[in-house]
Amino acid sequence: MRKKLFILFSIFTWFSVAQQTYTSVGIGNWSLETNWSPEGIPGINDTAIISSAYISVDQSTIIGKLVVDQGQTLNVSNQLTVLNSSGESSVSGTLSLASDMVIADGDFAVNDGGEITVGAGNDLVFSSSAHTFTNDGDVSVQSTSSTYGTILFEGTIAGDGDFKYNLYLPAVSGEWELAGPPFTDGSVTNFLSGNSDLATDGTNQWTDERAIGPYDNTDNSFTTWTYQEAVGQVFTAGNGYQMASENGSTVTFTGDYNVEDVDKSITYNVTTGGTRFNLISNPYPAYIALNNSAELNDNFLSNNLDQFGTGAHQCVYAWNGSSYDTYTNSDGAKYIAPGQAFFVGSKPGGGTVEFTTSMQKQASNGNGFYADLSDDQRGELFINLSQLSNDRYTKLFFLPNGTDYIDPAYDGALFELDFTSTIYSISVGSDDNSKLASQTLAFSEMWDKVIPLGIDAIAGEEITINISHRTTPADLNIYLEDNLEGTMTNLLEGDFVYTPTSDLS
């Protein structure tokens, strides 16, 4: 009886988890059967061994296990999912991701001499957090001016290999970037010596100032370091910096992978002549959820509200390349890109903001603060002001929970350190006259609302006011009243154009 039961069990096991090992013998497409031995195509329970010079995943594929032999290359040009149902996968050769790759379960190893490159706009996603990513080789992530590669991982990191993020920085001749290290604990001097493309204020990168430095809120100033000034400085998780490259290129951050929550102290120095603002950055090589629309239960803004100022100061300020945007929970889903730095305002006495690993999300690969405005159960109206080369806008949201008063985390103040021409709104019903970059009002009252706007502009230069974005109903007229001249302009029909004879405030 025992023998029969054993035989039946063996037969059942064979039929339910039948596996095959396929070894590549040709060069070219994964889907070509003659490129494998035995002839065929690796399937959902199978092991694929890349043992020939070059194989490219040319269609979406799911397999049980992956092995890339030393000296061989696998190019993932369509999504590859590895279940690890047949054991731990490993890379001893080269794995190049030109599309997304998902490790659904189990451990994964990059052996000595192995290399993984995550291309800009692509994701390496580990679906399980209970396993180990061993790196004894080289893992690098790429970015461009408009897209970011990401690694989404929440397990245990092991091994002595390098993690590198190649972060794009704009040219020093234009507007600088606010950025931070997605991999940390590397020395700043190593970063300076290893990145000749980081802009130099002069001809000698060892003695002249370099285009990198921190923000100091004790006197509202940015620093640019020389090599000697950077001696002893270390990139720590969550720090933000101003940066620029010579002509628009990437610089490489080499360091440790942050697999734990990151705490970052923030300070309040308004009473001593400084500011409340602190420059911090996303410490992970993945997008993190910024607000409730991105992730209701675990997002940066909502998790840290008690560390920020009160009222309209519970928001995030991000540089968009020419000005600062104010983000709140009224915005559509927002995601902070790897290496993206931003400002927050501390509460009096200072505090500690927290980045949690569970904030990491696989988001669409947009530049900087990625936005998803697909929700149509809302009204959005952005009013833009242009003067000279400056464009600024103020955001008005109409939501079910909006009120005429200051709604903390839903109304956001104008960034106080942005001194150029601008437009803003004032709270409709509150005595708080803060300049609001973002105001949220009741959706039910959208059809009959008077909203005070303010303008800061210089004399003698033409200003133009128009609608830059809206999701309000098509038949909802939107009028701008000039209460000095007594004129009304329907902004759906044309722009408001005016040349002030004196500075406006």
Side-chain angles (χ1 to χ4, degrees):
M1 186 57 139
R2 290 181 181 176
K3 184 176 181 180
K4 290 181 180 179
L5 286 173
F6 177 76
I7 293 172
L8 287 173
F9 177 76
S10 299
I11 292 173
F12 173 79
T13 303
W14 184 86
F15 275 111
S16 62
V17 292
Q19 301 173 1
Q20 176 70 58
T21 296
Y22 289 89
T23 302
S24 69
V25 293
I27 298 175
N29 288 338
W30 179 290
S31 63
L32 186 61
E33 294 185 358
T34 55
N35 277 337
W36 299 96
S37 177
E39 191 170 302
I41 302 173
I44 193 169
N45 290 320
D46 300 327
T47 296
I49 300 176
I50 308 303
S51 192
S52 53
Y54 179 86
I55 291 292
S56 179
V57 179
D58 58 323
Q59 61 187 23
S60 294
T61 300
I62 302 175
I63 59 173
K65 178 182 176 181
L66 174 67
V67 176
V68 181
D69 284 346
Q70 186 174 6
Q72 315 309 320
T73 297
L74 176 64
N75 180 58
V76 179
S77 53
N78 285 268
Q79 180 166 314
L80 175 64
T81 300
V82 182
L83 302 179
N84 271 353
S85 56
S86 301
E88 177 182 302
S89 294
S90 63
V91 175
S92 299
T94 299
L95 176 61
S96 178
L97 302 188
S99 187
D100 296 344
M101 179 171 172
V102 178
I103 310 298
D105 199 7
D107 298 338
F108 191 85
V110 183
N111 296 325
D112 186 17
E115 177 182 350
I116 295 180
T117 300
V118 182
N122 302 306
D123 306 313
L124 175 58
V125 180
F126 292 79
S127 298
S128 173
S129 61
H131 299 282
T132 300
F133 182 12
T134 301
N135 177 24
D136 285 310
D138 190 291
V139 176
S140 62
V141 187
Q142 309 295 322
S143 69
T144 69
S145 61
S146 59
T147 56
Y148 294 79
T150 71
I151 302 177
L152 188 57
F153 180 74
E154 286 188 70
T156 300
I157 295 291
D160 299 319
D162 289 329
F163 285 99
K164 300 175 182 178
Y165 201 102
N166 298 298
L167 185 67
Y168 178 88
L169 297 179
V172 68
S173 58
E175 300 288 357
W176 291 24
E177 179 69 286
L178 299 181
F183 298 124
T184 52
D185 290 339
S187 75
V188 175
T189 52
N190 285 345
F191 175 79
L192 294 179
S193 61
N195 286 286
S196 59
D197 284 345
L198 191 70
T200 304
D201 182 22
T203 59
N204 191 323
Q205 63 175 315
W206 304 106
T207 60
D208 297 321
E209 288 185 339
R210 305 296 298 280
I212 179 174
Y215 171 76
D216 186 351
N217 73 353
T218 63
D219 60 1
N220 184 30
S221 66
F222 276 102
T223 296
T224 50
W225 281 322
T226 65
Y227 185 90
Q228 291 302 318
E229 289 170 336
V231 171
Q233 300 286 347
V234 175
F235 286 125
T236 55
N239 279 0
Y241 305 86
Q242 62 166 351
M243 300 186 197
S245 63
E246 285 290 357
N247 299 300
S249 59
T250 61
V251 295
T252 302
F253 290 95
T254 301
D256 297 333
Y257 197 116
N258 298 309
V259 291
E260 297 181 348
D261 296 346
V262 173
D263 292 335
K264 181 74 179 74
S265 297
I266 56 175
T267 58
Y268 181 90
N269 285 302
V270 173
T271 55
T272 56
T275 78
R276 64 166 58 89
F277 299 108
N278 294 255
L279 183 59
I280 61 178
S281 69
N282 177 2
Y284 305 115
Y287 284 86
I288 61 174
L290 171 65
N291 59 4
N292 281 348
S293 296
E295 172 57 54
L296 183 60
N297 297 318
D298 207 345
N299 67 78
F300 175 82
L301 182 59
S302 295
N303 285 19
N304 290 293
L305 287 179
D306 59 348
Q307 303 302 307
F308 303 151
T310 58
H313 295 287
Q314 294 185 340
C315 51
V316 161
Y317 304 98
W319 182 248
N320 65 18
S322 60
S323 63
Y324 287 93
D325 282 327
T326 300
Y327 292 125
T328 69
N329 278 331
S330 292
D331 285 281
K334 296 285 183 178
Y335 301 90
I336 307 172
Q340 184 72 43
F342 54 96
F343 279 100
V344 295
S346 170
K347 65 183 179 181
T352 301
V353 296
E354 183 181 42
F355 297 91
T356 66
T357 58
S358 54
M359 292 177 185
Q360 298 177 88
K361 302 296 172 188
Q362 186 179 11
S364 177
N365 282 277
N367 185 27
F369 279 64
Y370 164 72
D372 176 9
L373 297 175
S374 59
D375 184 3
D376 59 0
Q377 301 301 312
R378 57 197 291 122
E380 298 175 354
L381 177 62
F382 296 0
I383 306 296
N384 187 79
L385 178 143
S386 299
Q387 187 178 49
L388 297 173
S389 59
N390 295 318
D391 282 287
R392 302 291 187 268
Y393 62 92
T394 190
K395 298 186 287 190
L396 301 170
F397 294 99
F398 300 91
L399 303 175
N401 61 335
T403 73
D404 284 356
Y405 303 94
I406 295 295
D407 300 310
Y410 287 86
D411 291 336
L414 194 71
F415 189 53
E416 297 171 14
L417 306 184
D418 196 0
F419 301 113
T420 56
S421 304
T422 194
I423 185 170
Y424 51 87
S425 70
I426 301 292
S427 175
V428 171
S430 173
D431 292 332
D432 186 333
N433 289 320
S434 297
K435 298 178 179 181
L436 299 178
S438 180
Q439 183 172 181
T440 300
L441 300 161
F443 185 85
S444 60
E445 299 179 5
M446 179 170 38
W447 292 90
D448 186 19
K449 208 69 180 175
V450 177
I451 304 165
L453 299 179
I455 293 170
D456 291 343
I458 59 176
E461 298 292 345
E462 183 179 271
I463 62 174
T464 300
I465 299 176
N466 53 28
I467 297 171
S468 59
H469 165 78
R470 73 184 184 98
T471 62
T472 52
D475 58 347
L476 176 68
N477 288 316
I478 300 165
Y479 292 94
L480 180 72
E481 177 186 4
D482 181 340
N483 62 9
L484 181 63
E485 300 292 337
T487 61
M488 300 282 282
T489 301
N490 188 342
L491 294 180
L492 297 185
E493 297 176 351
D495 299 344
F496 174 84
V497 180
Y498 177 71
T499 302
T501 56
S502 60
D503 290 348
L504 297 181
S505 180

